[in-house]
Amino acid sequence: MSTDRGFTVTRRFDAPRELVFRAWTDPEHLQWFAGVPRDPAHPTTVDLRVGGAWRVHLVEDEGRGRAYWTGGLYREIAAPERLVFTWGAVGGWPELDVEDLDDLPVATIELHDVDGGTEMVAHFGFADSLADQRVAEWLAMGVRKGWTDTLSRIDAEVLALVG
């Protein structure tokens, strides 16, 4: 994937990568992605295997906006250093069609040991087979800002795990 068909967000944590990986893969800790407190009526779920899915009930605008399920379908898992997933949820947004995964963005999360902590490199991109017009539509929707804002919320969860 070329850089004009996606973007990368980098974060650093004073925590071992095992804890950052846990924040991404443990349903007790993945709620950070939603940006709202845990709701027993809408539990976060994780099926941590290639082909398995994770889902969170997200509410936009810090709990005041549109509510929906989102998540991903795992394509690659290499604990504690790498996760690759198609972003979307069956019955959620973006709507994930397991028969046509190339129509949705792919997130690649890489965790590197750096200076006693972890550097998280999160790349969000699109399959080469996706038409340029469709990529432009995704980017025009504000997906870069949305993902950047979402990824900024992981900081507090990692701190809580270190705590």
Side-chain angles (χ1 to χ4, degrees):
M1 290 181 221
S2 63
T3 55
D4 61 338
R5 295 182 62 82
F7 54 90
T8 300
V9 177
T10 302
R11 295 267 190 273
R12 289 195 179 221
F13 305 97
D14 289 328
R17 64 185 180 165
E18 289 80 9
L19 292 183
V20 181
F21 189 84
R22 186 174 174 196
W24 271 103
T25 59
D26 184 331
E28 294 300 314
H29 298 285
L30 187 56
Q31 191 63 31
W32 65 264
F33 195 92
V36 294
R38 186 178 325 275
D39 176 358
H42 301 100
T44 296
T45 60
V46 174
D47 180 5
L48 189 59
R49 62 181 175 83
V50 172
W54 62 273
R55 287 172 44 112
V56 297
H57 192 253
L58 190 142
V59 183
E60 293 176 342
D61 298 322
E62 298 176 4
R64 296 181 303 273
R66 176 176 68 138
Y68 52 89
W69 288 100
T70 194
L73 184 71
Y74 294 112
R75 291 182 164 202
E76 183 182 336
I77 302 167
E81 59 215 28
R82 184 174 166 90
L83 286 171
V84 180
F85 56 87
T86 300
W87 178 47
V90 173
W93 190 88
E95 178 64 41
L96 191 145
D97 177 356
V98 295
E99 301 298 321
D100 188 15
L101 295 179
D102 286 340
D103 191 45
L104 291 175
V106 173
T108 301
I109 311 301
E110 294 182 341
L111 304 174
H112 306 282
D113 289 323
V114 177
D115 299 326
T118 301
E119 178 181 74
M120 178 183 77
V121 178
H123 181 76
F124 186 91
F126 302 90
D128 292 337
S129 61
L130 193 62
D132 289 343
Q133 178 180 343
R134 185 72 177 118
V135 171
E137 290 169 3
W138 273 104
L139 294 173
M141 272 192 282
V143 70
R144 180 186 315 253
K145 180 179 181 340
W147 264 81
T148 301
D149 291 349
T150 296
L151 291 175
S152 69
R153 293 194 294 259
I154 193 174
D155 297 355
E157 188 62 34
V158 171
L159 283 174
L161 283 166
V162 171

